[in-house]
Amino acid sequence: MKNTKYVFVTGGVTSSLGKGIIAASLAKLLQERGYSVTIQKLDPYINIDPGTLNPYEHGECYVTDDGAETDLDLGHYERFLNIPTSQANNVTTGRIYQSVINKERKGEFLGKTVQVIPHITDEIKHRIQILGKTGDFDIVITEIGGTVGDIESLPYVEAVRQLQWELGEENAIVIHLTLIPYLAAAGELKTKPTQHSVKMLMQSGLSPNILVCRSEHNINDGIKRKLALFCNVKKQDVIQSLDAETIYDVPNLMYKEGLDRVVLEKLELDQNKEPALIDWNDFVTKHKNPKQEVEIGLIGKYVELHDSYKSITEAFIHAGSSNETKVNVRWIHSEKLTPENVVDNLNGLNGVLVAPGFGDRGIEGKIAAVQYAREHNIPFLGICLGMQMAVIEFSRNVLNLQNANSVEMNEDIENPVINLMEEQKNVTEKGGTMRLGAWDCDLIENSNVYKAYNKTQISERHRHRYEFNNAYKKQLEDAGMVATGLNPKTGLVEIVEIPSHPWFVGVQYHPEYKSTVLNPHPLFIDFIKASLKQSKK
Ligand code: GLN
């Protein structure tokens, strides 16, 4: 059983400073030094999980092996650390209140008045320590979502304060991430916003142990001294975090600034060996020095917010690096795509990826994109809804089932080639009720997917309600679209391919969730390889 230590990461001044990347980079350095580390995200919003949120609100919804619908920062944690996360790694205010209220209904508070302090804060402390109490981790890093000073964050700050008091500062430390803005007119970096944000934290009884300061310009010794003095930390505990060329540079930058060293010192842990980052740096070097380029069209309906497809674009970076290829993404809005303008919009692409999604907005554009890729022999990867659109396109244009569709779009359609899954038929609540998480899949030999994975049994993560309708399987296969991946228990079609096409793969699951720096996803590697081949034609 390990004596787990805790690191809390709070944010000040503004949102979007990259707490998730700082947390993941620190975790990576500690992992490289031989510590077992995991990262948790606490989100102060009232939704139970982000599963019911529109991607415009919150970016992509990331799915874990155990079927949790989570914040996209968990994707960064997995991509950096190369270890899976789970439901315990993401907790929202909604979930905290839900468990407290459920306990109240069961009478577990024995007639007491249920209050934010102690009941909500106790539940937060319990959730923070779940991962630590597994005994699997030397260090648990907990990122507190939002910005210090938000009303929603107060119970979290109080819970961290109590936990630090209970565990002792050698077992629980606070890193506060802030912004040092540069005023061009004055030619100066300004520390005041950071002073105010630390003051706000201190009003809640919490003092940061380490300041990490985002900045566009070098923070000199004088500024560090000033920050240290007014924020009540030592000068060596002020760490600068300059803007990086890529997020994958941040572990190296944080190592250079000594973030991992001061963390270990404060937690009274051995420095162990220096972090080598050998495979990591090999990836970064290849990523930064590509020998060739491809252009992939990403067809989706949330393309205005690139974060909606975070795991997909990161998977491109991983697969690009392993192919020593720069993957340029052409963002294409499915709603703006029609059979008339599809050639103009997709012209010159070396690969087409039709993205996941829900509802009928933009689906005709997605179908037009599939048709273009199929007829022009452009490598095609359809993910989830993208795979379903590939089946619909083939049914309409090759099988001549003009009104083929998914029952998601039209319940009474004559040819429901994509159908509601049997177990979904009585589902009425939207939250957490899809087919979620890891499911096994058997691959057919000699398929593109078999060649990519180089094995016949895989497990991939899912998030959907609708499925390939097996009543059309024979017809589709006779016409040239074959099922190359099946669920071993239910026979559910998880993958379709067109063997006469250079590379046409539709997957019902989400391969992007499992792509990491050290384990780029085989399907993305192969898709980029096929696109490279196409580019040389
Ligand atoms: N809307 C589709 C379904 O529920 C696809 C979901 C997705 O793309 N993640 O089956």
Side-chain angles (χ1 to χ4, degrees):
M1 192 75 178
K2 296 178 196 278
N3 170 29
T4 304
K5 308 257 179 176
Y6 294 88
V7 177
F8 298 97
V9 181
T10 57
V13 183
T14 79
S15 58
S16 306
L17 289 182
K19 283 195 294 278
I21 300 299
I22 293 293
S25 300
L26 170 63
K28 184 77 218 168
L29 293 171
L30 297 171
Q31 186 189 50
E32 285 274 318
R33 284 181 184 268
Y35 290 104
S36 61
V37 193
T38 190
I39 317 174
Q40 175 190 45
K41 172 101 189 257
L42 303 181
D43 274 310
Y45 54 73
I46 296 172
N47 304 64
I48 300 290
D49 60 43
T52 51
L53 286 175
N54 185 320
Y56 287 135
E57 293 278 313
H58 204 252
E60 162 191 286
C61 172
Y62 186 77
V63 178
T64 58
D65 278 332
D66 65 349
E69 296 178 282
T70 73
D71 186 78
L72 60 76
D73 271 336
L74 272 77
H76 291 308
Y77 307 162
E78 288 203 12
R79 290 187 281 272
F80 274 55
L81 295 183
N82 203 32
I83 55 167
T85 54
S86 70
Q87 180 68 71
N89 294 72
N90 192 196
V91 180
T92 68
T93 294
R95 201 173 282 281
I96 301 276
Y97 271 80
Q98 191 185 44
S99 19
V100 171
I101 292 169
N102 286 344
K103 282 186 199 156
E104 187 275 336
R105 290 290 81 183
K106 286 190 195 142
E108 287 184 21
F109 297 113
L110 305 173
K112 288 269 181 223
T113 308
V114 180
Q115 294 176 297
V116 173
I117 301 170
H119 301 101
I120 295 299
T121 46
D122 279 354
E123 182 64 26
I124 295 174
K125 288 193 288 181
H126 164 68
R127 296 282 181 156
I128 289 170
Q129 292 177 100
I130 285 181
L131 287 162
K133 286 185 177 158
T134 59
D136 294 339
F137 303 105
D138 298 304
I139 302 162
V140 175
I141 301 180
T142 298
E143 178 191 345
I144 317 276
T147 309
V148 164
D150 296 347
I151 289 177
E152 293 92 336
S153 303
L154 285 173
Y156 292 95
V157 173
E158 170 60 13
V160 171
R161 186 196 67 75
Q162 290 182 17
L163 211 51
Q164 194 176 35
W165 185 86
E166 287 165 10
L167 300 172
E169 278 201 29
E170 70 285 9
N171 292 313
I173 59 166
V174 177
I175 298 177
H176 190 54
L177 177 64
T178 75
L179 175 72
I180 310 292
Y182 178 74
L183 279 197
E188 266 186 294
L189 287 170
K190 290 295 184 187
T191 64
K192 194 76 85 191
T194 297
Q195 294 181 41
H196 280 298
S197 127
V198 170
K199 201 168 275 171
M200 199 120 61
L201 206 53
M202 285 174 161
Q203 273 169 7
S204 310
L206 197 61
S207 277
N209 302 92
I210 296 168
L211 284 183
V212 176
C213 304
R214 281 292 303 271
S215 174
E216 288 170 25
H217 297 273
N218 223 43
I219 300 176
N220 66 29
D221 262 18
I223 299 174
K224 279 193 181 170
R225 215 185 144 266
K226 192 170 165 187
L227 281 164
L229 177 65
F230 291 114
C231 300
N232 212 26
V233 295
K234 292 206 189 82
K235 200 179 117 223
Q236 67 261 32
D237 300 335
V238 180
I239 306 284
Q240 72 169 357
S241 167
L242 295 174
D243 292 353
E245 185 187 326
T246 137
I247 56 169
Y248 298 111
D249 275 339
V250 181
N252 281 304
L253 293 173
M254 286 302 102
Y255 175 62
K256 230 174 81 202
E257 298 296 328
L259 177 62
D260 54 327
R261 246 178 302 123
V262 290
V263 165
L264 289 173
E265 251 166 51
K266 292 194 185 295
L267 294 176
E268 298 177 359
L269 288 171
D270 293 338
Q271 306 271 322
N272 287 355
K273 55 183 195 291
E274 294 298 305
L277 291 168
I278 294 169
D279 297 340
W280 182 275
N281 286 336
D282 183 45
F283 154 82
V284 175
T285 307
K286 280 194 196 147
H287 168 51
K288 289 189 176 175
N289 301 287
K291 300 206 170 103
Q292 51 227 330
E293 293 190 22
V294 290
E295 192 179 10
I296 307 290
L298 196 161
I299 291 90
K301 68 169 168 173
Y302 307 110
V303 293
E304 302 93 326
L305 183 71
H306 293 185
D307 269 3
S308 306
Y309 304 105
K310 196 74 203 167
S311 293
I312 293 176
T313 51
E314 296 306 307
F316 279 150
I317 291 174
H318 308 152
S321 168
S322 78
N323 279 296
E324 296 183 81
T325 299
K326 179 160 193 269
V327 179
N328 298 309
V329 175
R330 193 189 296 175
W331 297 90
I332 300 169
H333 205 304
S334 53
E335 231 180 345
K336 299 193 179 127
L337 220 48
T338 63
E340 292 71 43
N341 69 21
V342 68
V343 178
D344 288 344
N345 280 293
L346 272 60
N347 202 9
L349 289 176
N350 309 119
V352 169
L353 186 145
V354 175
F358 294 85
D360 63 1
R361 185 167 69 91
I363 64 150
E364 293 304 324
K366 286 187 170 174
I367 292 170
V370 178
Q371 183 175 10
Y372 174 88
R374 183 177 59 78
E375 291 179 345
H376 292 79
N377 286 327
I378 310 290
F380 168 85
L381 178 58
I383 298 181
C384 208
L385 186 69
M387 171 267 202
Q388 298 174 353
M389 292 304 115
V391 174
I392 294 170
E393 191 279 326
F394 200 86
S395 306
R396 287 187 190 174
N397 299 327
V398 180
L399 292 185
N400 270 318
L401 303 175
Q402 279 317 322
N403 47 20
N405 210 334
S406 162
V407 295
E408 180 178 6
M409 318 305 164
N410 183 344
E411 279 184 28
D412 308 310
I413 194 76
E414 199 177 321
N415 285 297
V417 292
I418 303 295
N419 219 351
L420 188 61
M421 280 184 279
E422 202 47 48
E423 68 264 27
Q424 287 287 328
K425 292 200 169 138
N426 296 319
V427 170
T428 49
E429 291 196 2
K430 292 271 182 270
T433 56
M434 281 188 252
R435 179 177 185 239
L436 289 166
W439 293 84
D440 289 337
C441 175
D442 286 350
L443 306 182
I444 308 276
E445 284 187 37
N446 291 322
S447 57
N448 278 315
V449 279
Y450 173 73
K451 284 181 210 144
Y453 286 91
N454 199 21
K455 56 183 175 188
T456 52
Q457 284 173 325
I458 60 165
S459 165
E460 291 281 3
R461 299 181 193 170
H462 296 248
R463 182 173 186 246
H464 63 116
R465 291 187 204 280
Y466 298 86
E467 64 172 330
F468 178 99
N469 185 345
N470 270 321
Y472 292 88
K473 186 161 170 244
K474 169 129 197 351
Q475 248 178 303
L476 284 161
E477 293 205 321
D478 289 347
M481 173 174 269
V482 297
T484 56
L486 300 175
N487 178 294
K489 292 210 181 82
T490 60
L492 180 68
V493 172
E494 310 276 27
I495 309 172
V496 293
E497 293 190 28
I498 300 177
S500 62
H501 184 284
W503 206 92
F504 189 104
V505 176
V507 291
Q508 184 59 77
Y509 54 83
H510 292 261
E512 70 275 22
Y513 293 144
K514 282 185 49 169
S515 188
T516 70
V517 165
L518 299 190
N519 261 324
H521 198 284
L523 209 50
F524 276 86
I525 295 180
D526 227 47
F527 175 50
I528 298 305
K529 216 171 259 163
S531 306
L532 257 177
K533 215 163 160 193
Q534 196 285 340
S535 75
K536 298 201 166 115
K537 275 190 190 146

